[in-house]
Structure formats: structure tokens, C-alpha cells
Amino acid sequence: MMHNRLAMVGLLFIAGWIVLALLAPFIAPYAPNEPNLLAKLKPPSAEHWFGTDNFGRDIFSRILYGAQYTIWSGMVAVGISFCIGVPLGGIAAYYGGWIGNVIMRVMDMFLAFPALVLAMAIAASIGPGLLSAMIAVSVVGIPEYVRLMYGQTMLLREKEFVEAGRAIGLKDSIILYRHILPNALAPLIVRATLGIGFAILISSSLNFLGLGVKAPTAEWGAMIAEGRRYITSGEWWIVSFPGLAIATSIMGFNLLGDGLRDVLDPRLRTRR
């Protein structure tokens, strides 16, 4: 992957945002939620690098703190989807029968709805808040990992090493965990990396719609929602910098996922 320049650019973006999120309390020049009505709607300057919003809050500081919510919520949501979806997909394919049919039909039901619409319905039913947004994004992502693990397990369950495990009396759980899962990890890791970017997009969309964090929490999607009314009056910086932060973080995970795909599955290697 070191020879894939785009993947390294993506890794640089991801590492940069993670470091900024961790160091936000130390490098942010202002408190993220501290209003200053004397400095509201100031354009980018030496005093306020990314300008200020309608409450006089420093946008650069809010973006740094917002990375803690946006980046981490996307990563945690994908982790939950992965930990739930992979075992379900493995069980559905390995055992088959009515168990497999029930699991896969439920997943088909989830996939029948557009991801954002389903996430909105789940978040609205739980109530606004960061936790509800993370739960909604996690639920939306589960079917992808179920289907991917289902396909990989279907390919692997008749292999010789699995048959050998059955012949010596290994438990099904051991066969799934020690023999099938390690051989199915490559596409799962690639999908999880790409899925983080998608989770960030869905999470930011929920926060933009008011179904996520509550004001005045600094979160990129919520910042865009607060500043959208000022686009027509010329205060472009209020939405441009949070939007750029979302775009670069999503692009970083997509580029990294593409590079991991080339490394972990040479059969799908792209020609550059």
C-alpha cells in the first residue's frame, strides 16, 4: 500500500483528523461554545482563521472539537455494525435452513429502505441525541456486513480445511471463529474502511436535520445547518469549512479503503 499514492493521501487525511480531534483541547485558540457578539460573522482573518459564526464563535475551534464527534461517531458506528453483522452473516450461511432464511429476510427488509430514510426513522423514534444518531447509523450498516459475511461463508464452508475441522469434531463456533472468519476478513476490512466514510456522511446528515447532537454542540453537520441561512448574504465561510472537513474525512477513508482493497485482494487490483 505504500506504493499507492492515493491511499497514502487518504491515510494522511485520516491521521490528521484523528490527531486534531485528540489535541483539540490543547490547540484550539477559543472555547468552541463561547459566544462573542462583538465578533459575530467575522470573515477569516489572522485572529479567527476560519472566521466566526452568527454567535461570534470561532469556527476553527468548533471544527477541531467537531472532529471528536463526527470522526469517532462514524468509527464507533461501523464497529458496532461490524461486530453484529459479521456473526449474523456467518451463522446464516453456515447453518442455513430456517435460521439463515430468517436472518437474511430481515436484512432484505432493512435494505428495502434508503439508508438515510431508515436512519432518520430510527433516530426520530429514539429521540434526538448523539447516541440515537450512532444507533441509527449502526443499524443501517448491519445488513452490508451480514450479506458480505454470508457470501464469504458460503464459499468457505465446503473447503477442505472446514471439512477437516468437522471430521475431527471441532465445534461449529470454533470452525466459524478460527477457520472461516480469518479467511473472510480481507473484504470485510475493506468494506469497514469504506463504510466509515459512509457512516460519517449519514451521521452528519442526521445532525444537519436536527436528529443528532443538540445545540450548541460543535459538530460538522450541525454547523452547516446553523450557517445555511447565511449563504445568500455572503457569509460563505460558516458552511464552507465544515463542509470541507466532512469532504476530506470521507475522501480519506474512501482512498484508504481503495488502497486496502488493492493490497488484500490482488484480483480486484485497479489499473492506474
Side-chain angles (χ1 to χ4, degrees):
M1 192 176 69
M2 297 294 292
H3 300 288
N4 189 321
R5 295 181 179 179
L6 290 178
M8 297 309 298
V9 171
L11 183 61
L12 182 63
F13 277 134
I14 296 170
W17 279 120
I18 291 176
V19 170
L20 290 175
L22 292 173
L23 298 180
F26 307 101
I27 63 177
Y30 300 92
N33 300 323
E34 181 179 351
N36 182 3
L37 298 181
L38 296 178
K40 66 178 183 178
L41 300 177
K42 295 291 185 180
S45 62
E47 184 179 2
H48 299 282
W49 292 355
F50 289 177
T52 61
D53 63 9
N54 53 313
F55 291 102
R57 298 172 298 192
D58 184 69
I59 293 178
F60 177 70
S61 300
R62 288 178 61 78
I63 286 179
L64 293 180
Y65 277 90
Q68 297 177 343
Y69 294 98
T70 307
I71 299 294
W72 294 121
S73 62
M75 297 177 70
V76 171
V78 169
I80 295 173
S81 300
F82 187 95
C83 292
I84 296 176
V86 170
L88 286 177
I91 292 171
Y94 188 81
Y95 290 104
W98 69 270
I99 297 177
N101 285 329
V102 169
I103 293 175
M104 297 310 296
R105 297 299 76 78
V106 172
M107 295 302 110
D108 290 341
M109 181 182 66
F110 282 115
L111 289 171
F113 297 93
L116 181 57
V117 174
L118 180 59
M120 289 170 56
I122 296 172
S125 63
I126 299 174
L130 180 62
L131 180 59
S132 64
M134 291 176 59
I135 293 174
V137 176
S138 301
V139 172
V140 167
I142 289 175
E144 294 291 337
Y145 299 97
V146 173
R147 290 172 65 89
L148 183 56
M149 185 61 183
Y150 182 88
Q152 292 296 310
T153 305
M154 291 292 289
L155 292 174
L156 295 169
R157 69 177 185 176
E158 304 301 333
K159 296 292 185 180
E160 290 80 5
F161 61 88
V162 176
E163 295 289 346
R166 294 197 192 101
I168 62 176
L170 291 179
K171 295 181 179 180
D172 292 339
S173 58
I174 295 178
I175 294 175
L176 281 169
Y177 179 72
R178 292 187 179 179
H179 298 284
I180 293 180
L181 179 59
N183 288 280
L185 270 181
L188 289 170
I189 292 175
V190 174
R191 182 66 189 86
T193 305
L194 295 171
I196 294 175
F198 181 72
I200 290 174
L201 180 61
I202 296 295
S203 177
S204 298
S205 300
L206 292 177
N207 288 300
F208 176 85
L209 296 170
L211 297 173
V213 298
K214 299 178 180 180
T217 304
E219 196 280 333
W220 296 341
M223 291 172 65
I224 295 176
E226 292 176 358
R228 70 185 186 277
R229 70 188 69 175
Y230 296 96
I231 297 177
T232 56
S233 59
E235 287 81 12
W236 54 269
W237 58 88
I238 301 179
V239 298
S240 297
F241 290 113
L244 186 62
I246 294 174
T248 53
S249 61
I250 293 174
M251 182 175 65
F253 284 106
N254 287 344
L255 292 176
L256 180 61
D258 185 67
L260 288 174
R261 182 195 60 184
D262 290 350
V263 172
L264 297 176
D265 195 347
R267 295 172 297 175
L268 300 178
R269 183 167 296 161
T270 54
R271 296 181 180 180
R272 303 193 183 281

